[in-house]
Amino acid sequence: VKRFSEIMGAYTAVDRWLEEQLAEAAAQNQPRREKGLQSRQAMNDHAYFVLLFGQFEIAVNEACIRAIKSRQAATNWLRRRGWDILRPDDRRLGGLSFEDRVALVLDRRTEDYRQVKRYYDIRNMAAHGKFQGDYLDIGRVAADLQTLFGRLSA
Amino acid sequence: MRPQYRDVLEEVTAEDLPREHVVRRIDDWAERIGKLYDRISGWLPGDIKVDRSDTISMSSNIMTATGVTSRSLPVFRGRRGQAVALTIEPEGLWIVGANGRLKAYGAGGFAHIVDRAKNFQQPKWEIAFSPDRHTGHPLTKDTILRLI
């Protein structure tokens, strides 16, 4: 997740500015302004979450490419055979869905895999304006994504 | 077996969240808020009188999607004479990464009070002071009194 810190830095700068405005609106008893600022904060959270998840997707793709290339280099066909049909240099590794790419580098039967799948759903909801919850807590979500990144196994 | 929905991430991404689960979660949220207000009331100086008569309407996409009507939740106001010294107001329950959040403010500043516990667990309240709303501190008498 090469640009994770850079994205979080940009997010924090914008979020702090919105938060200062929100505090001012509350202190001045301006509920309509407060509501508008909270909507902007939520929109900002969604936008940065999509960017953060994009970094996670890049990390998944890179781990997949490493996994495929190392298995395809094996001289033992028994080790190589399932991996030979994959195309690591093609876009999306030859058309694999995100879920399948994740399954190459995380055990599909684990809670980690299910957690990635849930965040992928949130990413799609946020990107299409269909988020069902109230807010995203970006600090926690970013920490979760970094933990999951550390669990990817090439 | 009925899914447990351990946290908001699981709820928000569930295929068919049962209506009764949503109602139970709202009841639990109202109860946690009530106990939180009780606790904070006990920390305030004697000249501050607590007023919980105002309410705020709780509604969200999850409630609409499951056919649950909006609910009134109490707003906390600590009054010193005519002046409001401390206001606490629920912001939302379904927060991915948290289990509900309230905003709290007074002459000393603006903050968010966040529950970090999993669903239906003992609350783990934290407070984060504006503008750094992502750095939580334990919710204590001292951290609350900073807002007044």
Side-chain angles (χ1 to χ4, degrees):
Chain A
V1 280
K2 291 171 191 159
R3 299 186 66 190
F4 217 85
S5 306
E6 205 179 318
I7 293 168
M8 279 307 284
Y11 167 77
T12 304
V14 178
D15 189 65
R16 284 177 74 98
W17 184 82
L18 287 166
E19 189 68 15
E20 280 164 2
Q21 302 292 310
L22 192 62
E24 191 182 286
Q28 294 174 2
N29 193 21
Q30 298 172 318
R32 279 185 64 186
R33 184 175 163 218
E34 260 189 85
K35 207 171 173 187
L37 285 160
Q38 278 185 308
S39 296
R40 284 186 179 184
Q41 256 184 336
M43 189 68 75
N44 197 49
D45 290 346
H46 289 193
Y48 278 93
F49 174 70
V50 172
L51 287 180
L52 292 171
F53 199 86
Q55 293 300 300
F56 186 77
E57 279 193 74
I58 291 170
V60 167
N61 288 344
E62 288 175 352
C64 283
I65 290 167
R66 285 197 303 278
I68 295 167
K69 286 188 171 174
S70 74
R71 290 346 181 259
Q72 286 182 344
T75 49
N76 182 347
W77 179 74
L78 288 176
R79 177 165 160 75
R80 197 180 70 228
R81 60 180 175 179
W83 297 83
D84 261 350
I85 58 169
L86 299 169
R87 298 195 295 272
D89 297 321
D90 287 5
R91 186 171 179 268
R92 292 186 174 179
L93 314 176
L96 291 183
S97 68
F98 178 69
E99 286 97 327
D100 284 345
R101 278 177 278 146
V102 174
L104 285 179
V105 288
L106 263 184
D107 185 345
R108 208 191 278 270
R109 297 178 187 178
T110 61
E111 180 55 26
D112 285 343
Y113 177 87
R114 288 189 284 274
Q115 193 79 342
V116 171
K117 175 78 174 63
R118 290 182 199 115
Y119 275 125
Y120 183 53
D121 289 345
I122 297 283
R123 180 253 171 242
N124 291 335
M125 289 177 195
H128 300 119
K130 296 197 180 219
F131 179 61
Q132 291 288 302
D134 294 329
Y135 299 103
L136 297 173
D137 186 317
I138 291 294
R140 285 297 163 125
V141 165
D144 266 5
L145 287 180
Q146 284 197 301
T147 301
L148 290 167
F149 165 72
R151 306 257 167 86
L152 300 179
S153 166
Chain B
M1 202 178 98
R2 189 179 145 188
Q4 292 300 306
Y5 308 111
R6 289 166 302 172
D7 58 24
V8 174
L9 181 61
E10 290 190 16
E11 292 172 317
V12 172
T13 55
E15 290 282 330
D16 291 301
L17 197 61
R19 183 183 184 278
E20 64 270 25
H21 173 82
V22 173
V23 171
R24 210 174 136 228
R25 285 277 284 140
I26 296 167
D27 290 343
D28 175 68
W29 178 225
E31 193 181 321
R32 279 184 287 143
I33 290 170
K35 287 181 179 169
L36 175 72
Y37 287 177
D38 289 344
R39 194 166 149 201
I40 291 172
S41 299
W43 290 338
L44 298 181
D47 62 333
I48 293 183
K49 303 293 172 216
V50 174
D51 171 6
R52 300 191 199 180
S53 58
D54 278 359
T55 58
I56 187 169
S57 176
M58 175 194 187
S59 61
S60 84
N61 291 335
I62 281 191
M63 291 165 71
T64 308
T66 51
V68 177
T69 53
S70 61
R71 172 84 69 99
S72 288
L73 294 172
V75 173
F76 180 106
R77 291 196 209 284
R79 296 183 191 278
R80 187 178 268 141
Q82 294 297 309
V84 178
L86 177 65
T87 301
I88 307 173
E89 202 175 293
E91 284 190 285
L93 169 59
W94 283 284
I95 298 171
V96 173
N99 187 14
R101 190 172 79 199
L102 305 94
K103 61 184 171 191
Y105 53 94
F110 185 91
H112 300 274
I113 299 174
V114 183
D115 186 0
R116 295 294 181 194
K118 295 283 186 192
N119 293 355
F120 302 115
Q121 301 294 308
Q122 186 70 21
K124 289 180 188 165
W125 295 111
E126 281 184 358
I127 186 164
F129 294 94
S130 183
D132 183 8
R133 69 180 175 122
H134 296 291
T135 302
H137 307 272
L139 182 76
T140 62
K141 181 179 177 180
D142 286 348
T143 51
I144 273 291
L145 292 182
R146 274 175 63 179
L147 294 172
I148 295 172

